[in-house]
Amino acid sequence: MQRNFIANASVASASGRSIPVLDPSDGQSFDDLQRSDASDIDAAVQAARASANTGWGTLAAAERGRMLTRLSQTVAAHADELALLEQRDCGKPVKQARADAAALVRYFEFYAGACDKLHGETLPYLDGYSVFTWREPHGVTGHIIPWNYPMQIFGRSVGGALAAGNTCVVKPAEDACLSLIRVAQLAAEVGFPAGTINIVTGYGHEVGDALARHDGIDHISFTGSPKVGTLIQQVAAERHCPVTLELGGKSPQIVFADADLDAVLPTVINAIVQNAGQTCSAGSRLLVEQSIYEPLLERLGKAFSALRAGPAALDLDLGPLIRQSQLVRVGEFLAQAAKDGITTVAQGQIAADAPAGGFYQAPVLLRDVPVAHRLAQEEVFGPVLAAMAFRDEDHAVELANATQFGLVAGVWTRDGARQFRMARRVRSGQVFINNYGAGGGVELPFGGVKSSGYGREKGFEALLGFTTLKTVAVRHG
Ligand code: NAD
């Protein structure tokens, strides 16, 4: 039985209720989590406040950096253990789980180095005044984490908050808690003051909602669905609590006729197959210049047919989806596509020896998806790629910007001037030219426009969001 982690101690929830932990590779339960409620959140907030006042919040910036360095080192030493937990808990193929553990190490490393580089400014003002700014932590930050990349999203969100001097109350997704509980334990083992990182597990509408409503939470970071993002915003607005939202996307990969198709092909496939398509920045729309549409689809179709989904431990092209309801959701999108006459170009396979109870979805390539169709507008969060053709650059921009989202875009062309024009004209938080994701570097600010959310995570930019700026004006004559 897993427990909450509050004030550096493993504790049961007040309710004594539990939630089963399922392995998505076979659908079987192998552990239990605490089903916490508002009273557990309250205990965690109190612990975090105590650390903000007398523990973590009082450490010199350089000392915070040393502690985060120690945490990155111990996470690196336990990377295999953490990757195995994530593999079992989330159904991630071995390579992906290991990559996520490595990314967590990098986030802590990066933010360890950033702690003592975060500073205010002196400002020119009237004669007789000296004016300067301080970057102060918010205090206690709340982090609501989704199930698709628990370690990575914890790293970018909690890592940044800690570096800026905040203490944290974390609500992992009910489907993906194990690795994060372990990371909090590791932080305690390397000497983090009690209450600095607190983990409270449970359902979103219960414990997530309680976290968002708690008046002891000074800032909320949320990654997840637009629907819940709206709820968080509404609740936070009641007490004017600042919020950072990362709400996913419907990101386009835009391929011009002059692109290097040998580079395009594997990248386009990886961008939708990675993590079984359950990635906020998945390249889920493929926009192709008319003259190369047919040959590119032919090559992609062959590659899609060869893709295989199977149990995480087999480390195939993709693992299972996170849970049954997600499988049903993806199935509904595909049924709608079939009903509306959308053509399937190709479909991958599910490994013959995949356990019957696992949540497997073979990758699917669809063509000529109308821009207004929900397959071209909504986040499927599964390995489903919607292809469509464009006439020219203006049409490509029009299609790229024709959704409510704006998180990431990929542009493939050898024309240098067009690269810059496209980067300017596409509305999204990140644009990648002749690549997609740039290896996910922790240094690169990440976040969206429109319904993809606001605020930035990752990189140095994220630190600014985890602080509040105080202006001090001294009149000295
Ligand atoms: P979700 O938004 O319900 O869950 C994300 C997190 O929010 C979880 O920790 C959950 O427990 C919590 N939560 C849920 N309801 C809450 C509430 N009322 N108050 C506070 N916290 C709450 O996402 P989901 O239902 O797990 O997935 C549904 C869809 O959301 C997916 O199909 C996908 O399209 C999208 N999604 C996007 C991301 C992303 O990275 N942007 C991540 C997960 C899911």
Side-chain angles (χ1 to χ4, degrees), residues 144-148 153 171-174 202-205 208-209 222-225 228 231-232 246-248 280 323 326 329 379-381:
I144 301 177
I145 313 271
W147 40 261
N148 52 343
I153 293 171
K171 206 300 277 178
E174 48 273 37
Y203 291 120
H205 65 281
D209 182 65
F222 172 79
T223 303
S225 59
V228 176
L231 290 177
I232 304 271
E246 198 272 87
L247 307 177
C280 40
R323 58 175 185 241
Q326 203 60 25
R329 181 185 146 89
E379 201 172 34
V380 176
F381 240 52

Side-chain angles (χ1 to χ4, degrees), residues 379-391:
E379 201 172 34
V380 176
F381 240 52
V384 179
L385 181 58
M388 59 193 84
F390 65 82
R391 293 183 301 275

Side-chain angles (χ1 to χ4, degrees), residues 16 50 79 116 147 247 323 329 382 395 422 451 474:
D116 56 2
W147 40 261
L247 307 177
R323 58 175 185 241
R329 181 185 146 89
H395 191 207
M422 289 299 291
S451 288
V474 182

